[in-house]
Amino acid sequence: RPPPPAPRPAGDPLTAPDLPDDPADWPTDPFALLGVRPGAADVDLKRAYNRLIRRFRPEHHPDEFRRVREAYE
């Protein structure tokens, strides 16, 4: 059996960022909100966006979803 995969480093586009529970405490920088570095590839931005919108569905968290969508745009 192969060994388990190594944990992903912080800032990895494959992991959703740990955002505070209160959206007022979220970062204002769109890249920080998505958990990617400035200048990240489009595929990394889309992957980070998709992970966050799975967590903040528009029907349950409309304000959080709006902020994530605006950060992606």
Side-chain angles (χ1 to χ4, degrees):
R1 192 164 27 159
R8 298 201 175 271
D12 186 343
L14 297 178
T15 58
D18 291 328
L19 295 173
D21 292 332
D22 184 7
D25 295 333
W26 286 10
T28 56
D29 176 42
F31 293 104
L33 185 96
L34 292 173
V36 296
R37 292 184 206 106
D42 288 342
V43 68
D44 295 333
L45 290 169
K46 187 171 187 174
R47 188 176 293 134
Y49 168 73
N50 285 328
R51 290 194 181 274
L52 283 173
I53 62 168
R54 280 188 217 128
R55 181 174 168 194
F56 299 107
R57 306 298 290 176
E59 56 276 352
H60 301 291
H61 306 282
D63 294 332
E64 291 86 344
F65 178 81
R66 179 186 51 78
R67 288 196 52 195
V68 170
R69 190 186 71 234
E70 288 172 356
Y72 179 67
E73 293 172 352

